[in-house]
Amino acid sequence: MQGEILLKNVRLVDASGERGPADVLIGEGKILALDGGNAQRTLDAGGLILCPGFFDPHAHLREPGQEVKENLETGLTAAARGGYTDVVSMPNTTPPVDQPEVVAALIKKARQIGQARLHPAAALTQGQEGKLLTEAKLLKEAGAVMLTDDGKTNEDAGVLALGLTYAASWGLPVAVHAEDAGLRRGGVMNEGPVSFRLGLPGNPAAAEAARIARDLEILSYVLERPAQDARLHIQHLSTARGLELIRRARARGLPVTAEVAPHHLTLTDERLESLDPVYKVAPPLRTQTDREALIRGLLEGSIDCIGTDHAPHTQAEKEQDLLRAPFGIPSLEVAFPLLYTELCLKQGFPLATLIERFTDGPRRVLGFRPIRLEEGHEASLTLLDPNSERAVDPTHFASKAKFSPWAGWRLSGWPVMTLVEGREVFVHPSLTVGA
Amino acid sequence: MIAELTQQAAFPKHLLDFQGWNRKHIEDLFETAKLMQEVLSRPVKKVPALTGFTVATVFFENSTRTRLSFELAARRMSADVLSFSAATSSLAKGESYKDTLLTLDAMGIDAYVIRSDAAGMPHQAARWLGKPIINAGDGWRAHPTQALLDAFSLLERLGSLEGKKIAIVGDILHSRVARSGAELLPMLGAEVWLCGPATLLPGGLPNVTMTTHLRQALQDADAVMALRLQRERMDKGLLPSEPEYVAGYQITQERLGWAKPGALLLHPGPMNRDVELEGTLAEAAQSLIERQVANGQAVRMAVLYHLLVGRKGA
Ligand SMILES: [Zn+2]
């Protein structure tokens, strides 16, 4: 057997658990063998973990129109460095991605860049205005993988019902930013003792829960109509109350999925005591109780996957005060080491489960086939180093956004190689790949 | 005067709120404020204490009264004063306020007095500039010199705040005066009650009692502070109307009778006459309202003095 690269002595970890060590031979874009063979190049990967490539169902790459914050090149490079082989971009750009031609153009450009693969989400409504539906069939044919008005909230329940009904015909899930604008009332952080003490406008947990309850009712309603394939995906879940609603809906068999962002799993609203806008995000950082509930939800599978909600901004924008600074945290490059360190190492969260939530989980939500660590499967893979520890240094991010609430945190589990269909899109300089 | 001041406790670098401040710091500060009152009673109201220092007042939110009070305080101690005002809205249009502050800093400023409509802006300045920062009000969050002058004015009349009941009445939710008072007054031993319409009460501040019942708040109070009501709150639907507020929460002669006889009356100003307070209560003998303004200057002089000179020996 002749391949391009041989990864020797790797630990194989996927949803089914851990196997290995194995000598993984990769060539022709596939896994050729797990028991070695000849390759042009060899890497001694003793102690490293090989898993299916990460898939981010939720990133803001800002192209078109907001390239000053990020563009496809910087965003997809950041993704590759973070171990992602696949990224779903959000459509709340300027203008919003609501036309098939734009979806096709983005995919074409991403292919030329050759970093992580791009799967654009398209707007659910034209211009994300919440009124008229977009062309779901044509968008799907152009390559869109989901419809969402993320960045905005779907205020008109009737429009969301129509959107869910219509998108179902073309096999597209509808994702929602579940937050009631009226209850949110301009809140810039979680409403609670901390916001009261700090004198900052609060965004209550009820704003999320009330909207999830409404959207679940809409989902049950459309399922009774000729829309049996309707699928609702809740983005960046932040509250225990919202999670409980989803848990009960799933128990009833409703086709609802959910994602959680790295910041909601690792930070709480107490961080805002510093009055630093780096912690300003929507939905906001919640309480320790919410955080613990979300970790449990991720563990038991009520939450299907990690979505980074990578949301880059310029330094000047983020250095405004808390009222004016934009919402968002860039996280593509730290998501895995952050959660590996904070959840697996510190709290005993099972590694195979965490990896599932970065790989198969999001693929399942979007209707993609899972990647198996088996002979003949697609070699879109991520290699992780669980042993060496390194501090987060945002100044070295490939993303244009060089700030992070985790700056200085010492983390392990950094991705050291990312392969997209056998192509090495990222190799950490510490790796020596021999001839 | 200067020699005895440098003996006093090491002060925090900034006055952003009362984090890092303790009762001893406050008491030392008030000792200095008493000396400053004496300076202000002289025919020539000027001392050389801050000669050679430059104080910048940076107001991203307009407040002529507070700005003048700080500037006069600095000038009376012979500091040079640089005054900068800019609406935050114009900054939001693209000019970074970090750049604005760094530009000012390049001019050799020794201390900043910063006011902003946004919570946390003075804290950000403290992160960016290596100089003492005095928070002259940030959003709904904190207005520490107002709390200090209120406490100082109360101490003048009550001698001590130990075990004294102080009721703060009005729009607590949006009040930086209430938040700073709720932080400072309990540090000095006072029992603080916060009272207002339910839609204008936050869900929980530490070390204070919260109530929507005016009678409960005022019962046996030693002092009552009425807060300014903003009409904007009615537009946002937090209050049905002004008459509704007056009916429920206006401090009247009669309601003041629920408090201790001769209970003191405060208002941070500016006042909506006949809204927060009934008729001529502001001029009543028990009113500290004018005294608050006069003491504001002595207290601000003391704060500037301690942050610029007093901590040198620390
Ligand atoms: Zn969102």
Side-chain angles (χ1 to χ4, degrees):
Chain A
M1 190 74 69
Q2 185 70 35
E4 281 156 22
I5 189 165
L6 178 66
L7 308 176
K8 295 189 69 168
N9 282 312
V10 286
R11 292 164 59 190
L12 303 180
V13 182
D14 62 17
S16 61
E18 178 165 349
R19 289 169 292 152
D23 296 338
V24 180
L25 185 69
I26 292 162
E28 300 157 34
K30 291 187 296 219
I31 297 173
L32 295 176
L34 296 176
D35 56 356
N38 292 321
Q40 288 144 357
R41 293 170 314 132
T42 308
L43 173 71
D44 182 4
L48 302 183
I49 291 170
L50 186 70
C51 62
F54 298 164
F55 191 116
D56 186 4
H58 191 149
H60 297 271
L61 301 184
R62 306 302 189 200
E63 194 170 334
Q66 298 169 323
E67 288 85 351
V68 63
K69 295 173 191 265
E70 193 83 288
N71 59 34
L72 288 186
E73 174 131 28
T74 55
L76 293 171
T77 304
R81 287 202 194 176
Y84 289 93
T85 54
D86 298 88
V87 177
V88 177
S89 57
M90 289 299 116
N92 61 329
T93 46
T94 341
V97 177
D98 61 358
Q99 314 225 356
E101 300 73 30
V102 181
V103 171
L106 287 172
I107 292 172
K108 187 173 169 212
K109 187 163 177 191
R111 282 213 185 101
Q112 284 161 359
I113 291 166
Q115 291 281 328
R117 289 177 292 203
L118 179 73
H119 311 281
L124 177 67
T125 62
Q126 295 175 32
Q128 290 198 313
E129 285 172 358
K131 293 179 189 133
L132 300 170
L133 299 183
T134 50
E135 302 159 318
K137 179 178 193 292
L138 297 175
L139 287 164
K140 163 100 178 189
E141 284 169 4
V145 296
M146 127 198 315
L147 300 179
T148 178
D149 283 341
D150 182 45
K152 299 198 172 176
T153 54
N154 298 101
E155 295 310 311
D156 188 323
V159 171
L160 181 61
L162 289 177
L164 266 169
T165 307
Y166 187 68
S169 319
W170 313 111
L172 285 171
V174 170
V176 290
H177 177 134
E179 194 170 46
D180 187 279
L183 285 170
R184 174 174 167 173
R185 289 186 82 93
V188 301
M189 67 173 291
N190 181 52
E191 182 175 288
V194 184
S195 75
F196 293 137
R197 195 160 67 247
L198 294 180
L200 281 165
N203 173 345
E208 177 173 280
R211 181 50 66 87
I212 289 176
R214 184 201 77 165
D215 291 355
L216 290 171
E217 278 306 312
I218 294 171
L219 179 63
S220 332
Y221 161 67
V222 305
L223 287 169
E224 292 159 10
R225 310 171 78 218
Q228 281 85 11
D229 298 325
R231 284 182 289 149
L232 178 70
H233 178 65
I234 310 287
Q235 298 175 292
H236 44 50
L237 183 70
S238 71
T239 64
R241 294 160 76 154
L243 171 63
E244 187 50 36
L245 292 165
I246 291 169
R247 193 181 273 139
R248 276 189 251 149
R250 287 168 76 118
R252 298 205 316 268
L254 277 189
V256 57
T257 54
E259 69 187 28
V260 61
H263 43 269
H264 290 126
L265 294 168
T266 55
L267 304 170
T268 67
D269 62 353
E270 309 229 322
R271 296 270 169 185
L272 269 304
E273 297 271 15
S274 65
L275 292 158
D276 189 338
V278 76
Y279 300 107
K280 183 175 172 184
V281 65
L285 301 178
R286 303 288 187 182
T287 66
Q288 184 63 14
T289 309
D290 292 304
R291 180 175 162 249
E292 284 166 11
L294 295 172
I295 294 172
R296 270 197 307 280
L298 188 70
L299 178 66
E300 74 189 17
S302 307
I303 300 173
D304 302 83
C305 58
I306 308 290
T308 61
D309 196 7
H310 174 81
H313 297 287
T314 66
Q315 199 71 21
E317 286 171 315
K318 204 61 179 171
E319 280 178 349
Q320 297 175 83
D321 57 82
L322 271 160
L323 293 185
R324 272 163 283 258
F327 296 96
I329 292 171
S331 48
L332 277 170
E333 283 158 89
V334 295
F336 187 83
L338 177 71
L339 298 182
Y340 174 73
T341 306
E342 296 299 311
L343 301 190
C344 297
L345 295 185
K346 293 192 181 164
Q347 302 191 40
F349 194 99
L351 173 62
T353 308
L354 184 67
I355 285 180
E356 198 278 341
R357 307 295 185 252
F358 271 86
T359 59
D360 289 3
R363 286 187 173 88
R364 193 174 54 242
V365 166
L366 287 151
F368 281 68
R369 266 203 315 255
I371 292 174
R372 292 269 154 265
L373 299 176
E374 306 283 357
E375 248 180 67
H377 274 252
E378 172 190 325
S380 292
L381 305 167
T382 302
L383 193 62
L384 305 164
D385 180 359
N387 302 314
S388 52
E389 189 188 83
R390 164 152 70 85
V392 176
D393 179 0
T395 61
H396 289 139
F397 281 174
S399 167
K400 288 190 178 185
K402 314 248 185 245
F403 59 88
S404 171
W406 304 288
W409 289 33
R410 300 200 64 84
L411 306 177
S412 308
W414 293 90
V416 288
M417 184 185 276
T418 308
L419 297 130
V420 173
E421 293 170 50
R423 224 164 14 88
E424 295 149 38
V425 295
F426 164 64
V427 180
H428 191 267
S430 69
L431 289 191
T432 30
V433 183
Chain B
M1 167 180 142
I2 304 305
E4 72 191 74
L5 287 176
T6 47
Q7 308 297 317
Q8 292 167 354
F11 270 67
K13 181 166 184 181
H14 309 289
L15 179 61
L16 300 171
D17 44 45
F18 296 107
Q19 289 278 317
W21 288 69
N22 59 36
R23 187 167 178 159
K24 177 84 171 82
H25 294 137
I26 306 297
E27 284 166 357
D28 287 352
L29 194 74
F30 285 165
E31 285 309 308
T32 310
K34 281 183 201 158
L35 298 174
M36 297 305 178
Q37 273 184 320
E38 189 272 317
V39 170
L40 292 172
S41 70
R42 295 178 196 169
V44 178
K45 300 173 178 54
K46 196 151 182 160
V47 287
L50 297 186
T51 306
F53 287 102
T54 305
V55 175
T57 57
V58 183
F59 276 51
F60 294 112
E61 180 190 65
N62 284 332
S63 170
T64 311
R65 290 160 39 116
T66 308
R67 189 164 57 79
L68 290 180
S69 175
F70 270 108
E71 290 181 359
L72 209 49
R75 289 208 172 94
R76 291 200 150 141
M77 290 188 292
S78 306
D80 292 320
V81 175
L82 186 83
S83 175
F84 179 87
S85 309
T88 9
S89 57
S90 71
L91 288 176
K93 279 178 193 139
E95 190 192 351
S96 140
Y97 75 90
K98 182 180 182 183
D99 290 343
T100 305
L101 288 171
L102 292 177
T103 304
L104 285 175
D105 208 47
M107 296 179 194
I109 306 298
D110 297 297
Y112 291 83
V113 176
I114 299 181
R115 169 100 150 200
S116 158
D117 65 342
M121 203 185 246
H123 296 69
Q124 281 177 305
R127 278 195 284 273
W128 297 328
L129 310 169
K131 310 290 170 53
I133 310 286
I134 297 163
N135 182 359
D138 63 329
W140 309 342
R141 208 190 93 75
H143 193 358
T145 58
Q146 177 71 43
L148 285 169
L149 70 90
D150 292 340
F152 186 78
S153 306
L154 286 165
L155 280 167
E156 268 187 333
R157 293 285 283 268
L158 298 172
S160 155
L161 295 188
E162 208 59 62
K164 298 291 193 302
K165 178 174 176 181
I166 297 162
I168 303 179
V169 179
D171 176 1
I172 306 295
L173 182 61
H174 303 98
S175 174
R176 51 190 171 209
V177 176
R179 273 186 190 76
S180 282
E183 224 184 334
L184 177 67
L185 297 170
M187 262 167 74
L188 301 173
E191 180 192 330
V192 173
W193 285 62
L194 302 178
C195 175
T199 48
L200 295 175
L201 274 189
L205 295 175
N207 308 322
V208 296
T209 311
M210 206 90 65
T211 178
T212 56
H213 299 291
L214 187 61
R215 186 167 194 139
Q216 251 184 6
L218 262 47
Q219 199 75 51
D220 298 320
D222 295 277
V224 179
M225 186 193 302
L227 299 174
R228 177 180 170 76
L229 190 71
Q230 285 173 294
R231 289 201 167 75
E232 185 204 20
R233 305 298 163 218
M234 282 154 230
D235 299 339
K236 290 195 170 164
L238 294 167
L239 268 183
S241 73
E242 204 171 271
E244 175 85 359
Y245 178 82
V246 168
Y249 296 96
Q250 186 184 63
I251 307 300
T252 63
Q253 190 69 59
E254 187 197 335
R255 288 167 173 174
L256 209 48
W258 298 333
K260 280 199 184 135
L264 301 170
L265 188 60
L266 299 91
H267 192 297
M271 204 183 331
N272 297 306
R273 253 180 210 279
D274 288 313
V275 179
E276 298 104 22
L277 297 179
E278 178 187 50
T280 52
L281 265 186
E283 286 81 36
Q286 63 207 116
S287 165
L288 289 182
I289 296 170
E290 268 177 43
R291 196 70 196 147
Q292 284 174 281
V293 178
N295 284 337
Q297 235 184 81
V299 165
R300 287 177 177 124
M301 286 168 80
V303 169
L304 283 167
Y305 181 82
H306 276 283
L307 293 193
L308 278 166
V309 182
R311 56 188 306 281
K312 270 198 170 166

